[in-house]
Amino acid sequence: MERRRTRLQLLDAVDEDRHDVEVLLTALQQAVAEVHGLGGMVHLPGGGMSGILYLVASSGLPESMTRPWLIIPVRGAAPPSSAARKDTIAWAPELAPPDPVPGRDPAALWPSRLPAGIGHLAVPIPGRGQRRGALSVLFAPGTEPGTADGAFLNEVAAWMSGRLRSSGILNPSPTLLRALENGPGPREALPPDVAGTPTLTYTWDLRTGDLTSDQPVEEVLAGIDPEVMSGGIEAWAALIHPDDLPGAVAGFDAGIQLRGGFQNEYRIRRQNGTYLWIEASARTITDEDGTPVKVIGTLRDSSETHAAAESVGRALRHMSDGFVSLDTDWRIGFLNQAAERLFGTAEDVAGAVLWNVPAVRAVPGLEQRCRATAAEGQPAGFDVPWPDGTSWYHLRLVPVPEGLTLYITDTTERHLREADRAAAEHAAAERAAVVQRITRELAEAVTAQDVMAAVADGVMTPVGAAGLIMLGVVGDRLNVIGSRGYSERFIRLLDGQWTAMDATNPVGDAMRSRTPLYISSPEEMLQRYPETEMLIREGGKQAWALLPLAVSGRGIGAAVIAFGGPRVLDEDEQTLLTALSGLIAQALERAGLYDEATTRARTLQRSLLPQALPTLPEVTAAAHYQPAKQGADVGGDWYDVIPLSAARVALVIGDVMGHGMAEAATMGALRTAVRTLSELELPPDEILGHLNDIVGELGTDAFATCLYGIYDPATRRLSYASAGQPPPAVAHPDGTVTFLSMTPDPPLGVASPPFEILETPLPADSLLALYSDGLVESKDRDVTTGMSRLAELLSQSLNAMPTSPADVSDLDALCATLTSALLPDHGTLIDDAALLLACTHPLDAENVAEWPLPEDPVAAGQARELVRAQLADWDLTDEDLIMTTELVVSELVGNVIRHASGPIRLRMLRSRALICEVSDTSLTTPHIRQTSATDEDGRGLQLISALCQRWGTRHTRTGKSIWTEQPLPTTSA
């Protein structure tokens, strides 16, 4: 602050007798230095031309930068203009050329290598009344002045204003004027004479007002008062035509203020009262201080030029096209009769700015287009719609030295022709687009309903139809395939009503002739086909297009497009529908083949999956399978529940990768193999090993996943192995859900046995959820996220149930809930999904009995006694059952003593059947063999097979168990 006060004190010390420019320059230098600017400028208003600011001083800036700023308009957007006009500080973060003034374009003078980002700050310099100047400073890129900087510049500007009041408005310096004229100094050379035209040279002394000429004025300008020169500038001004006087005076004033050359044309009065056109050229001469002292100019008679122009004007006046002459300010100088019909009479619009003419103002965007065209400086034209809404005109702008000429040509007829042609092309394009769109949709349609939907969506709207019926030939009748816009009652009435190829009904007639029929009204329909009265009344339609559908000369049906009112289809619409009928027929034929393939595929798939899951006391199970695709691309997911020996149950789920008939066949083969291997009582890891061999033999591109688990209700344990399947979920009785711990082996076909076998205890009434990856994985969800979602839904569903799932219906409902929540819409599935739910029920301890037996022949007798006592404890008192069981157990124990080794154990289970097991340590598997009449042994297993419902051998870690199953009496528990 102290430094700034010092600088203002230094300005106050400037001598009063210093020239104004020197005073301003000193103040400008102090201002630029204080705010750390790059340089600065001072602009002040001129004495002759209102609305103009002159550059009167600059500091720190090269001439290439100051040249565009020599003359700027007060009404401009540049900071100096804005500050002077609005009397406020103006800031621009990016230095840009000022607005142009007539005859001068600063943008053309703008330096080419100017750094980007230079800031421009301007403050007003107070003046007399509303006329103010501006002090401006340029700042380095990235620098923005603060409030204190603006306040200091305002103080400097106020000081400048105070020092200038004594001398009034400051004139530009001679140096700046020479730069403005692009010359080294004042030039006294006059414009060259026009060849062959007499020219008078005159001198006007600005200090005295005297006029002198090099020859008598009447010799050059015939009829002019010879004494006019002696009367001075006032006498000369009195001869100027009143209409031309303002322009002539403004031209002189501008030339004097600019200290340069100027040229004008105006009329002066002869002695006989008529007027003479003259062309005046002049140049201002200044003294050493830059003060204008005289004007030297020439005068010549330009009447002949104007006479020729008047002749041209008469021709232009009667042109059929509109013609308008505009000056550089877009003011109308002349317009002919054709233009008057558009803009208004010459008396109303002559001298008006083009944009102020109501007819022009009503054309949207016309001003912007005209200005942009004029700015290019080249002749150009464009078409515009006229405000009447029906006419079009072509406007051609041609730049001329005094402004522009505007030619206006009526192009309404051409636009109408183009509009008709465009409408026809648009209609053709729309028809082509309709055909293309329907072709694409029909190509993608796979079922008859898809074809129906594609035709309804693609045809009804373009032709304005209100109804559509697709009919197919079944035998000799026409059955409804699908409909749109009709009631169910009407469809039931029509279905099977008409006979194909029967000329008494409209569809049969069209199919017989293989020609589309177009019926425009109910009256026409009744006249041609009287039997359709009831159908017309029930259908509610009043015009029809009946398209026969044929493939390879064979009629397969018809498409009936109906309209809500009487309708006569034009030739283009009929051509469109005829072309579409062929596409519809081909699509419908493909759909029929597809439906047949779908039926076969679905039949195959249903036959390969379990028709119904077994009802077992140890496990209550339900399953759901959702294929990913329609048609023949069936999937390879499968599931199964297999009863095993000793009341155990095998739970299986698998997935053959891919879709198609081959994958479905592979799935069937694997499911059959699983059931066969299960009959051999193999453990889960060995079963997967055999399945891996089967898949490996199918080829290198065959892969499958599988999880095989065995639930033992006696031990309440689940043993399982997995090849590529996600881990099963276990819902515990308390509602918590966990996933079985396992690291699945690779899929079948690429795995390397042995497979890892795992065991886990299951609490009573646990719920197992086995699933394929298609249930939990989708394009928007990974497997981990899907498993978390499955666990969440399973827990929520079980907690919402009043009791644990008690029967198959409860599990079926739970399956539906889970799949509907986890699977997206059917059309967006990317893989098949299978879900198997199994609720486990352990055997109570009272239903299991087990004893060790000695390795001695007496063991058979002990076994019989133990069996009889246990059956009595279980209230199984049927004597036949007791005797049969004693005999079976005795035979099994005897075989062990005779052919195997101990220790021997006997176990009995009461479950879905009466199960007896005899275990030993031998790995020898007994087999039924053919015996002769003389053989004394070999009949034991034959006896067991005859007495029992099922029997078999199961190998264990310590040996084997031979088991039998007998049906329980229906009255027993």
Side-chain angles (χ1 to χ4, degrees), residues 65-113:
M65 286 188 66
T66 59
R67 186 177 297 117
W69 296 93
L70 293 176
I71 302 178
I72 63 174
V74 175
R75 294 291 178 182
S81 302
S82 182
R85 183 175 72 255
K86 299 179 181 179
D87 195 21
T88 185
I89 295 178
W91 163 254
E94 182 73 34
L95 182 65
D99 295 274
V101 295
R104 183 174 181 79
D105 184 7
L109 305 173
W110 199 249
S112 59
R113 297 184 179 181

Side-chain angles (χ1 to χ4, degrees), residues 469-619:
I469 296 177
M470 297 278 289
L471 299 167
V473 176
V474 179
D476 64 344
R477 310 301 294 181
L478 289 168
N479 291 350
V480 177
I481 297 174
S483 66
R484 184 77 64 86
Y486 287 95
S487 66
E488 293 184 4
R489 169 183 167 81
F490 176 78
I491 297 303
R492 288 195 299 270
L493 290 173
L494 182 62
D495 193 24
Q497 175 75 19
W498 287 336
T499 303
M501 306 299 176
D502 183 1
T504 62
N505 69 78
V507 175
D509 194 12
M511 293 184 63
R512 182 186 59 80
S513 64
R514 297 184 183 178
T515 303
L517 295 180
Y518 301 101
I519 300 176
S520 61
S521 66
E523 293 77 15
E524 182 182 353
M525 175 71 84
L526 288 173
Q527 182 181 0
R528 298 178 64 173
Y529 308 101
E531 297 178 0
T532 61
E533 180 180 0
M534 184 268 295
L535 295 176
I536 293 174
R537 183 177 62 255
E538 294 290 339
K541 304 298 185 288
Q542 299 188 31
W544 299 265
L546 301 103
L547 310 177
L549 305 179
V551 176
S552 301
R554 176 173 53 88
I556 63 171
V560 181
I561 300 172
F563 302 89
R567 174 76 177 274
V568 177
L569 296 177
D570 60 31
E571 184 178 352
D572 290 337
E573 291 172 326
Q574 293 184 13
T575 301
L576 171 64
L577 294 179
T578 301
L580 291 177
S581 64
L583 299 175
I584 297 170
Q586 294 175 12
L588 199 60
E589 176 73 2
R590 290 194 304 270
L593 298 175
Y594 175 87
D595 289 339
E596 292 178 6
T598 298
T599 301
R600 290 194 298 269
R602 293 297 177 223
T603 302
L604 171 63
Q605 192 172 43
R606 283 193 298 269
S607 67
L608 295 177
L609 289 173
Q611 302 302 305
L613 296 178
T615 302
L616 304 173
E618 302 84 7
V619 168

Side-chain angles (χ1 to χ4, degrees), residues 236-384:
W236 183 263
L239 297 181
I240 300 176
H241 193 287
D243 292 341
D244 300 340
L245 182 59
V249 173
F252 275 102
D253 185 46
I256 294 171
Q257 293 298 324
L258 295 176
R259 278 69 166 176
F262 55 93
Q263 185 174 352
N264 205 342
E265 191 172 21
Y266 51 87
R267 291 166 290 180
I268 60 173
R269 188 175 66 253
R270 297 186 179 96
Q271 288 179 302
N272 60 7
T274 62
Y275 283 89
L276 174 74
W277 279 99
I278 66 168
E279 182 180 288
S281 300
R283 186 172 301 281
T284 304
I285 306 301
T286 63
D287 60 12
E288 293 181 356
D289 294 330
T291 301
V293 294
K294 59 182 177 179
V295 174
I296 299 177
T298 61
L299 302 173
R300 75 174 184 88
D301 187 346
S302 61
S303 299
E304 292 185 3
T305 304
H306 273 272
E310 290 176 1
S311 176
V312 173
R314 284 192 297 272
L316 292 175
R317 180 90 182 147
H318 300 285
M319 283 175 56
S320 59
D321 290 344
F323 177 84
V324 181
S325 174
L326 303 168
D327 63 14
T328 55
D329 294 326
W330 297 93
R331 294 186 180 275
I332 298 175
F334 171 83
L335 72 166
N336 66 358
Q337 293 177 349
E340 285 182 351
R341 288 193 291 270
L342 298 175
F343 294 172
T345 64
E347 290 78 6
D348 295 333
V349 301
V353 176
L354 181 63
W355 324 121
N356 294 335
V357 176
V360 176
R361 190 167 57 246
V363 180
L366 179 58
E367 178 179 355
Q368 292 79 1
R369 297 183 68 178
C370 288
R371 289 188 181 277
T373 301
E376 297 176 359
Q378 297 294 328
F382 49 85
D383 287 5
V384 296

Side-chain angles (χ1 to χ4, degrees), residues 608-610 635-640 642 652-658 661-679 687-699 702-708 723 725 747-750:
L608 295 177
L609 289 173
D637 289 20
W638 91 93
Y639 55 86
D640 213 341
I642 306 172
V652 191
I653 194 162
D655 179 8
V656 177
M657 298 183 184
M661 299 292 284
E663 284 73 12
T666 300
M667 177 266 284
L670 292 179
R671 179 170 175 260
T672 301
V674 168
R675 296 192 70 89
T676 302
L677 294 171
S678 297
E679 292 292 332
I687 287 181
L688 292 186
H690 288 296
L691 294 180
N692 186 66
D693 295 338
I694 294 173
V695 175
E697 293 173 357
L698 297 178
F703 304 100
T705 61
C706 182
L707 185 143
Y708 187 95
Q725 279 290 126
L748 302 174
V750 294

Side-chain angles (χ1 to χ4, degrees), residues 195-224:
T197 302
T199 302
L200 177 124
T201 301
Y202 70 92
T203 301
W204 174 19
D205 191 326
L206 297 177
R207 291 168 292 193
T208 65
D210 294 338
L211 283 176
T212 58
S213 60
D214 63 345
Q215 55 185 309
V217 65
E218 67 273 14
E219 294 182 4
V220 177
L221 305 175
I224 299 300

Side-chain angles (χ1 to χ4, degrees), residues 15 65 137 168 181 351 365 396 404 411 514 532 559 598 696 737 787 809 922:
D15 294 336
M65 286 188 66
V137 178
E181 296 172 4
R396 180 170 175 79
L404 299 100
T411 58
R514 297 184 183 178
T532 61
T598 298
V737 177
M787 290 171 57
S809 62
S922 172

